[in-house]
Amino acid sequence: MATIQDIARISGYSIGTVSRVINNRADVSAEARRKIEEVVREQNYQPNSSARMLRQSISSEISIVVRGVRNVFLQSLLEGVQIRIRDNGEIANVQFIRETDDEVAVAVQVLQNLKPKGLIFLGGSTKNFQEDFSKINVPSVLISADASGLGFDNLSSFTTDDVNAAARAVGELVSQGHRRIGILGGYPGDAEGMRPNDSPAQRIRGALEELEKSGIAFDLERDYEESPFSAEGGYHTAEKLLLRTPDLTAIFAISDSIAIGAMRAFRDMGLRVPEDISVVGFDGITAAKYSVPRLATIQQDATLLANKSVDDLLMRISYERTAVHEKIPYLYVNGESVAQPRE
Amino acid sequence: MATIQDIARISGYSIGTVSRVINNRADVSAEARRKIEEVVREQNYQPNSSARMLRQSISSEISIVVRGVRNVFLQSLLEGVQIRIRDNGEIANVQFIRETDDEVAVAVQVLQNLKPKGLIFLGGSTKNFQEDFSKINVPSVLISADASGLGFDNLSSFTTDDVNAAARAVGELVSQGHRRIGILGGYPGDAEGMRPNDSPAQRIRGALEELEKSGIAFDLERDYEESPFSAEGGYHTAEKLLLRTPDLTAIFAISDSIAIGAMRAFRDMGLRVPEDISVVGFDGITAAKYSVPRLATIQQDATLLANKSVDDLLMRISYERTAVHEKIPYLYVNGESVAQPRE
DNA sequence: CTGAAAGCGCTTACAG
DNA sequence: CTGAAAGCGCTTACAG
């Protein structure tokens, strides 16, 4: 492996000048730049990142913290983020944590150990950010929760417009004539360490607003069941909800995984989807396109979320910019899981 | 942030001795060890990994290369691997590459840039290893393809017994009375840069052996269709296969994603699963448990594959051991997607 | 068992 | 515009 010493010796310049060329500093003569760049190419020289990090006491990597390893939508988001980072010639490391772990606490530790130059959070609850994010001083992005209310100038956030999207999903059920609609998943209000700006809460909010606007009665105690973001969670909570409230004719699940588990539960209870009960999901994961019946859902734009987030982070790493908070458009996708209520 | 200098100053020992304590060297007095460890704890000292890497010219990270971002089974494997690595206090970075990319070429580059102390490959074709793995000199593990024939002493491999598992899956179809069985996915023989030891080829082999043993005729041109590892791939190739060969009564898909896409395609063609056509998958992903109908499949033990692979890698990083090649047990899981052929 | 010192490969004031 | 030199925080022969 060639080092900066070799390049200096071969090119006839000092290592200082070589370093300046490598780092694209302006104060180098065109002549020196040309010659040194040629040698760099010839020798296939790659700067030693450890030495660089040691000197600058910051790594050249970006750390990604994924909260909720079972969440299929986050996986597609992660894929998009990784690809965008690589396409920009940057390197990322990933930390997977459980849905119950504290992503900010993990990030603080990662920051100490790996010294990333930027952080990306996939999934997360604004509560943890509120409490501990002040310990983090590198540019960061939170994807899938709105951090605008938190007031950190090094934290951007990109998210689907959860309130409107959920309202749209419920609106589809209402327009089919449903008046007895159940909700699966999410957290109403300030429960369980969640905050009103987290997407589970936002989706509930959008759904409730739409119901109210349509003059449809809804009772959280009776028509709603909390659920983890998984098919397994959806299966069990759907069963529980429908045993308690058998007159429901439609379900809004705040994630496709939950919806798919719910559809399977209904089937096992002897109910047909959509003839006996309609289901709408949220996310637009692959499984929703191939399920039987095909799931009607809100399609989030994972690619756009990923690309915008990475681009914003890279800009803020290199230049002085303020954090932004942006809502990404969604699409309602028809499926086979919604029909008019019986009789 | 405390440095080794601070610990030396506070404890009254030299930085050499502190370094020896941190690295658990034997040649330190109990007294010195006790005192220094106390100061380390008090100061919450974390060695600077960049300095360490620079000095030792090797990173303390493990790099994971995932080939086939769309492959759901690899995602669950990745999850298991990550968790096992973290549970052992180690740090991993992940590189996602496309199914068509060369995982060994990427690894060579990663090795140069990140200098990981070990490599884990999720998915991969032995062809690329055969050609270029000699350039890689750190302990490595290949998961989901058998590398025993390659003869690299720094490359272990862990894989499900694909031949027997595929034979078992097809055997279930045969025992139900099926004689016209189609196969979806995989590569027979040496096609497309695949090698006979790669799992797609092994699964085909097991299936063909079982068919032959049962005296069932099979024509690759007529009864088989190649498919990418995805629901989308399964959807299109299943349709193509059945339009060409409509007398098939059962399908063996070499992955659950393919099987799920196939079931959806059959439904859209007006066929019922399993009444009109039976389907068996391979992998045991979550979606298979919640699909309608539930998919009969081979359940691979992702957790055991992940744990054994990580444990083996960590042992070989720390100690002089030879690489191993191990087959992990599988389970056949009954579903609702298999029935006897009609009439 | 311990300390003093070299050196890993860089970046960056400082001088000219 | 360029070079010489300090120093980032460690590890590891070397000497005692």
Side-chain angles (χ1 to χ4, degrees):
Chain A
M1 286 294 301
T3 71
I4 199 171
Q5 314 272 2
D6 302 322
I7 306 303
R9 185 171 36 73
I10 297 170
S11 66
Y13 286 89
S14 71
I15 58 168
T17 303
V18 172
S19 177
R20 285 177 202 111
V21 169
I22 291 164
N23 292 287
N24 272 316
R25 290 285 144 78
D27 51 349
V28 184
S29 69
E31 164 83 6
R33 186 177 302 277
R34 199 187 47 69
K35 262 184 131 169
I36 290 172
E37 277 174 349
E38 193 188 320
V39 177
V40 164
R41 216 173 310 112
E42 273 174 20
Q43 301 294 317
N44 189 23
Y45 166 67
Q46 299 269 8
N48 179 313
S49 61
S50 307
R52 215 171 218 175
M53 276 167 66
L54 176 57
R55 203 28 242 254
Q56 308 188 321
S57 80
I58 190 160
S59 143
S60 56
E61 292 192 21
I62 291 165
S63 291
I64 304 171
V65 180
V66 184
R67 179 153 170 269
V69 283
R70 293 266 163 216
N71 187 323
V72 178
F73 180 71
L74 292 190
Q75 289 175 1
S76 64
L77 223 38
L78 173 61
E79 190 187 311
V81 165
Q82 275 266 359
I83 287 173
R84 188 66 160 197
I85 289 174
R86 286 191 73 221
D87 285 352
N88 280 283
E90 303 283 346
I91 287 172
N93 60 65
V94 186
Q95 310 298 318
F96 290 92
I97 65 174
R98 297 180 193 83
E99 221 176 311
T100 49
D101 290 344
D102 182 337
E103 69 278 13
V104 181
V106 170
V108 168
Q109 223 184 328
V110 164
L111 204 57
Q112 197 169 73
N113 294 331
L114 304 181
K115 301 210 195 329
K117 61 181 176 183
L119 281 167
I120 297 179
F121 295 88
L122 299 189
S125 82
T126 52
K127 172 173 184 290
N128 294 328
F129 284 80
Q130 204 159 36
E131 287 174 358
D132 287 323
F133 188 77
S134 56
K135 294 176 188 159
I136 291 177
N137 52 12
V138 298
S140 305
V141 178
L142 171 58
I143 313 186
S144 83
D146 179 6
S148 62
L150 270 44
F152 295 113
D153 58 6
N154 61 330
L155 179 63
S156 287
S157 65
F158 293 86
T159 169
T160 294
D161 187 342
D162 290 303
V163 174
N164 281 318
R168 172 70 193 280
V170 169
E172 292 286 337
L173 294 173
V174 172
S175 72
Q176 289 290 319
H178 291 279
R179 316 291 295 173
R180 295 292 302 119
I181 299 172
I183 299 180
L184 234 35
Y187 306 82
D190 208 356
E192 292 278 332
M194 300 301 285
R195 284 291 183 273
N197 275 343
D198 294 345
S199 49
Q202 293 271 300
R203 291 176 197 172
I204 294 282
R205 200 182 119 202
L208 296 185
E209 284 178 5
E210 179 69 22
L211 289 172
E212 191 172 353
K213 210 173 68 182
S214 306
I216 295 177
F218 187 87
D219 177 357
L220 274 173
E221 295 294 316
R222 183 191 60 186
D223 304 329
Y224 156 81
E225 197 62 48
E226 195 179 314
S227 170
F229 278 92
S230 67
E232 193 187 355
Y235 187 92
H236 294 297
T237 55
E239 192 176 25
K240 193 169 162 194
L241 177 62
L242 225 68
L243 287 176
R244 186 180 62 221
T245 314
D247 68 325
L248 294 173
T249 64
I251 295 287
F252 169 52
I254 71 150
S255 93
D256 286 352
S257 295
I258 295 174
I260 284 169
M263 291 201 298
R264 183 67 239 189
F266 296 150
R267 175 95 178 188
D268 289 344
M269 294 169 81
L271 296 172
R272 289 163 302 162
V273 177
E275 292 84 352
D276 298 319
I277 187 161
S278 291
V279 178
V280 177
F282 199 115
D283 279 348
I285 65 177
T286 305
K289 296 187 181 67
Y290 294 92
S291 67
V292 176
R294 277 191 185 85
L295 184 63
T297 190
I298 295 293
Q299 174 87 52
Q300 296 196 68
D301 193 336
T303 305
L304 195 59
L305 276 167
N307 290 353
K308 285 215 171 198
S309 299
V310 171
D311 291 353
D312 170 71
L313 184 69
L314 295 179
M315 282 304 288
R316 289 190 295 121
I317 286 171
S318 301
Y319 307 97
E320 203 65 39
R321 306 254 168 152
T322 61
V324 301
H325 304 279
E326 200 173 320
K327 302 271 190 214
I328 304 296
Y330 62 88
L331 228 55
Y332 176 79
V333 183
N334 271 312
E336 305 161 338
S337 61
V338 174
Q340 298 181 356
R342 314 199 67 184
E343 99 224 82
Chain B
M1 287 293 302
T3 70
I4 198 170
Q5 313 273 2
D6 302 322
I7 307 303
R9 186 171 35 74
I10 297 170
S11 66
Y13 285 89
S14 72
I15 58 169
T17 303
V18 172
S19 176
R20 285 177 201 110
V21 169
I22 291 163
N23 292 287
N24 273 316
R25 290 284 145 77
D27 51 348
V28 184
S29 68
E31 164 82 5
R33 185 176 302 277
R34 199 187 47 69
K35 262 185 130 168
I36 290 172
E37 277 173 349
E38 193 188 319
V39 176
V40 165
R41 218 172 311 111
E42 273 174 19
Q43 301 294 317
N44 189 24
Y45 167 67
Q46 299 269 9
N48 179 313
S49 61
S50 308
R52 213 171 220 174
M53 278 167 64
L54 175 57
R55 204 28 242 254
Q56 306 188 322
S57 79
I58 191 162
S59 144
S60 56
E61 292 191 22
I62 291 166
S63 291
I64 305 171
V65 180
V66 184
R67 180 155 169 269
V69 282
R70 294 266 163 216
N71 188 323
V72 178
F73 181 70
L74 292 190
Q75 288 175 1
S76 65
L77 222 40
L78 173 61
E79 190 187 310
V81 164
Q82 274 266 359
I83 287 173
R84 188 67 160 197
I85 289 175
R86 286 193 71 220
D87 284 352
N88 281 283
E90 302 282 347
I91 287 173
N93 59 65
V94 186
Q95 310 297 319
F96 290 92
I97 64 173
R98 298 182 192 82
E99 221 177 310
T100 48
D101 290 344
D102 182 337
E103 70 278 13
V104 181
V106 169
V108 169
Q109 222 183 328
V110 164
L111 204 57
Q112 199 170 70
N113 294 329
L114 304 181
K115 302 207 193 332
K117 61 182 176 184
L119 281 167
I120 297 180
F121 295 89
L122 299 190
S125 83
T126 52
K127 171 174 185 289
N128 294 329
F129 283 80
Q130 204 158 36
E131 289 174 358
D132 287 323
F133 188 77
S134 56
K135 294 176 188 162
I136 291 176
N137 52 13
V138 298
S140 305
V141 178
L142 171 58
I143 313 186
S144 82
D146 180 6
S148 61
L150 269 44
F152 296 112
D153 57 7
N154 60 331
L155 179 63
S156 286
S157 65
F158 293 86
T159 170
T160 293
D161 188 342
D162 290 302
V163 174
N164 281 320
R168 172 71 193 280
V170 169
E172 291 287 336
L173 293 173
V174 171
S175 72
Q176 289 289 318
H178 291 279
R179 317 293 293 173
R180 295 293 300 119
I181 298 172
I183 299 180
L184 234 36
Y187 307 81
D190 209 355
E192 290 281 330
M194 300 302 285
R195 285 289 183 275
N197 275 342
D198 295 344
S199 49
Q202 294 271 301
R203 291 176 197 172
I204 294 281
R205 199 182 120 203
L208 296 185
E209 284 179 6
E210 180 68 23
L211 289 171
E212 190 171 357
K213 211 173 67 183
S214 306
I216 295 177
F218 187 88
D219 178 356
L220 273 175
E221 297 292 317
R222 185 191 57 187
D223 304 329
Y224 156 81
E225 197 62 47
E226 194 179 314
S227 169
F229 277 91
S230 67
E232 194 188 353
Y235 186 92
H236 294 297
T237 55
E239 191 176 23
K240 193 170 161 191
L241 177 62
L242 225 69
L243 287 176
R244 186 180 63 223
T245 316
D247 67 324
L248 295 173
T249 65
I251 296 288
F252 168 52
I254 71 152
S255 94
D256 286 350
S257 293
I258 296 174
I260 284 169
M263 291 201 297
R264 182 67 241 190
F266 295 151
R267 175 96 179 186
D268 289 343
M269 294 169 81
L271 297 172
R272 289 164 303 162
V273 177
E275 292 83 354
D276 298 319
I277 188 160
S278 292
V279 177
V280 177
F282 199 114
D283 280 345
I285 64 177
T286 304
K289 297 187 180 67
Y290 293 92
S291 67
V292 176
R294 276 191 186 82
L295 184 63
T297 190
I298 295 293
Q299 174 87 50
Q300 296 197 69
D301 193 337
T303 306
L304 195 59
L305 277 167
N307 289 353
K308 285 215 171 198
S309 299
V310 171
D311 292 353
D312 170 71
L313 184 68
L314 295 179
M315 283 305 289
R316 290 189 295 121
I317 286 170
S318 301
Y319 306 98
E320 202 67 35
R321 308 256 166 149
T322 61
V324 302
H325 304 278
E326 200 173 320
K327 302 270 191 215
I328 304 297
Y330 61 88
L331 225 57
Y332 176 79
V333 182
N334 271 313
E336 306 161 338
S337 61
V338 174
Q340 297 181 356
R342 314 199 66 184
E343 99 221 87

